[in-house]
Amino acid sequence: PRSHPTVDSPEIQAAIAQAGSSDEFMRVLEALTGSGQRVGPGAAGPCLRGARVANPEPAFLQALQNMLGWTLGYETRPTPETRALKERDRLGILLKYRQPEDPGNPPTVAMLDYLVDTLFGVPMRPVGPEVVAPQYQNLEGEIVTPTWVEADWARFRAEVAATRRPETKFMPNRYPYILPERPGATELQRRAQHSILWYFNTPEEPLNDPGDAQIERDLRAAVAREAQARRLPGIDYIWYRNPCMSAPDVFHVR
């Protein structure tokens, strides 16, 4: 099979150069190198500089990394430890949360119950006796039978949704990519942090994509809270819609 071209290959270097001369690139670069905007009472709080990356293609990200030094790049990937953690978590989801009778071809892991449980606190309940779970092989090679739970949406609507809707969640990515490092006095100065902004939805609702303007407002508020909590003078950030979401059951941006 044809190998994946490396960042040093002529075709990729040409794509990086083309991306770096685009209007979109100049827009993002200007937002991240300008004066920024102070937040907080009297605009005396931390200074934020951020931008949406409309084109999260590897060549575009590498052009941005070449200029700024801290963003994702062409060969960004998870660490071996992160890949192993993701595999363990995937098996844990299969063993705990109800899966469809037909997982599809190729098979996929249904993640909605797992996500609304761990992110938004939706109550769970054991599946009924009519649900027959298949057996799976665990990482030790043992054949095990799951003990499934599923979201108790009736209880959620009665106890939670009647008074409020779960708010967005801004959280560190459990499976962060390898990011470049640079000199700095603290971990936050030496390496960018990989976080995700999650939006709640029920199974009956379409994915809750509120649009670019609302995402920017939500993300800016979350980043400002993070800066204030850590007593940081400012934060630079980028965000984008992941074109290859591994958890498509709940809308999110990174």
Side-chain angles (χ1 to χ4, degrees):
R2 185 172 181 266
S3 61
H4 185 69
T6 66
V7 68
D8 295 323
S9 66
E11 61 189 287
I12 298 304
Q13 285 296 309
I16 293 170
Q18 182 177 9
S21 62
S22 66
D23 291 341
E24 168 67 7
F25 180 85
M26 299 309 297
R27 178 191 68 81
V28 174
L29 189 63
E30 181 179 358
L32 294 170
T33 56
S35 58
Q37 180 181 9
R38 291 199 173 276
V39 297
C47 182
L48 304 184
R49 298 187 299 188
R52 174 181 70 95
V53 174
N55 174 25
E57 292 297 321
F60 187 97
L61 294 175
Q62 186 60 51
L64 203 56
Q65 187 185 96
N66 289 347
M67 290 296 295
L68 299 173
W70 57 268
T71 61
L72 300 166
Y74 178 80
E75 294 182 335
T76 302
R77 61 197 183 281
T79 65
E81 294 78 13
T82 296
R83 288 196 296 269
L85 174 62
K86 196 169 189 177
E87 185 64 23
R88 290 196 300 272
D89 284 355
R90 180 181 181 277
L91 179 60
I93 293 169
L94 287 173
L95 294 176
K96 181 176 180 180
Y97 296 94
R98 182 178 179 175
Q99 299 295 308
E101 291 185 20
D102 181 5
N105 186 22
T108 59
V109 178
M111 300 187 68
L112 180 62
D113 286 350
Y114 161 72
L115 291 170
V116 297
D117 179 16
T118 57
L119 292 174
F120 301 107
V122 171
M124 297 287 124
R125 65 181 181 188
V127 298
E130 74 282 359
V131 178
V132 179
Q135 292 184 316
Y136 296 101
Q137 184 178 39
N138 65 21
L139 296 179
E140 289 72 41
E142 303 167 327
I143 303 301
V144 294
T145 300
T147 304
W148 278 347
V149 297
E150 62 184 351
D152 189 342
W153 291 110
R155 182 180 164 198
F156 166 78
R157 294 184 181 95
E159 297 180 358
V160 180
T163 58
R164 62 176 178 84
R165 183 178 179 86
E167 298 178 350
T168 58
K169 293 290 185 179
F170 182 66
M171 302 181 67
N173 186 1
R174 184 167 169 80
Y175 316 111
Y177 293 158
I178 297 173
L179 290 162
E181 295 197 14
R182 60 181 182 178
T186 68
E187 173 67 16
L188 290 175
Q189 292 173 330
R190 289 191 292 270
R191 185 171 59 201
Q193 306 300 298
H194 190 178
S195 300
I196 298 179
L197 183 66
W198 298 91
Y199 286 84
F200 176 79
N201 63 267
T202 68
E204 298 81 18
E205 297 172 340
L207 289 185
N208 185 16
D209 181 345
D212 290 349
Q214 185 61 50
I215 292 172
E216 178 62 37
R217 286 192 290 270
D218 292 338
L219 187 59
R220 197 169 189 82
V223 171
R225 288 193 296 270
E226 189 78 8
Q228 291 164 342
R230 295 173 179 258
R231 300 182 182 275
L232 300 174
I235 290 183
D236 294 344
Y237 66 91
I238 62 171
W239 69 270
Y240 64 91
R241 289 176 169 81
N242 186 356
C244 302
M245 290 189 292
S246 59
D249 308 71
V250 173
F251 180 74
H252 59 281
V253 298
R254 56 174 75 198

